[in-house]
């Protein structure tokens, strides 16, 4: 499978715990994006990378969220001290750098904080 | 003003109907424009890019008006399989190159027999 893969697909955690999600982009893609989506809403931008550099991070993003892409390949998104409001689908996407290029999404990680 | 705004929907139409979705964006420096489709509990997938000259792909026609910062999607002869949420997407501008993808809230379309 050469698409974007995310792991795990589902995560249930207790409030206050830390969680980490992984995203493996399409291998030749330089750009990697993280989004969060709740029911009835469009994907909300969290952050994106060009190779290993984190170029933008949403101003709405709490300091409890951090993302890395250490070697410009896979990326991790960590949420510290999870809150119930963090429950959502976390989507990863990748694309090349060409203008008008398509971004391909993974199937997402569904986080439930109880 | 939200960065990308779409018709709130939902749109409920009979098979064969023509339906139009509208979208406005706030950043005049936006470089690229897309319509994505998202099926229930699935990830978003590209439906079509939107070019200044307008573009058509079968039953789907997209238009872009940069002066008005307005994007549209027209679906002709709608099919049951067109039922989905349609997401308007605009890219930011990062140092003159394409930045992040900014999604609208989405407009849900239900096509009925």
């Amino acid at each position: 499978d050469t698409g974007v893969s995310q792991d795990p697909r589902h995560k249930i955690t207790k409030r206050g715990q830390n969680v980490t999600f992984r995203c493996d982009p399409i291998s030749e893609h330089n750009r990697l994006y993280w989004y969060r989506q709740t029911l009835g809403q469009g994907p909300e931008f969290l952050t994106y990378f060009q190779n290993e550099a984190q170029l933008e991070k949403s101003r709405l993003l709490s300091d409890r969220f951090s993302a890395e892409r250490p070697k410009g390949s896979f990326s991790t998104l960590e949420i510290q001290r999870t809150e119930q409001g963090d429950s959502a689908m976390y989507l990863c996407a990748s694309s090349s750098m060409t203008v008008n290029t398509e971004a391909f999404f993974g199937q997402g990680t569904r986080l439930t904080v109880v | 003003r939200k960065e990308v705004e779409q018709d709130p929907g939902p749109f409920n139409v009979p098979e064969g109907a023509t339906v139009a979705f509208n979208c406005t964006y706030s950043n005049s420096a936006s470089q690229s424009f897309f319509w994505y489709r998202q099926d229930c509990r699935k990830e978003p997938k590209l439906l079509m890019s939107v070019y200044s000259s307008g573009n058509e792909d079968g039953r789907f026609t997209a238009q872009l008006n940069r002066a008005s910062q307005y994007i549209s999607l027209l679906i002709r002869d709608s099919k049951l399989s067109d039922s989905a949420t349609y997401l308007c997407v605009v890219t930011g501008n990062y140092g003159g190159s394409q930045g992040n993808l900014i999604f609208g809230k989405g407009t849900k379309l239900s096509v009925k027999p």
Side-chain angles (χ1 to χ4, degrees), chain B residues 48-49 51 53-63 74 76:
Chain B
M48 58 196 304
S49 300
Y51 303 113
S53 54
N55 47 301
E56 187 173 310
D57 182 4
R59 298 181 293 108
F60 299 84
T61 301
Q63 297 278 352
L74 185 75
R76 291 181 300 278

Side-chain angles (χ1 to χ4, degrees), chain A residues 31 35 37 56 100 103 106, chain B residues 32 36 38 43 98 100-101:
Chain A
R31 291 199 167 167
Y35 289 84
Q37 188 174 26
E56 285 189 73
N100 283 325
Chain B
S32 302
Y36 274 71
Q38 187 171 27
E43 72 275 20
Q98 179 171 308
N100 60 309
L101 304 172

Side-chain angles (χ1 to χ4, degrees), chain A residues 83-96:
Chain A
E83 302 172 357
Q84 286 189 320
D86 297 332
S87 296
M89 176 70 82
Y90 289 83
L91 293 164
C92 174
S94 71
S95 74
S96 68

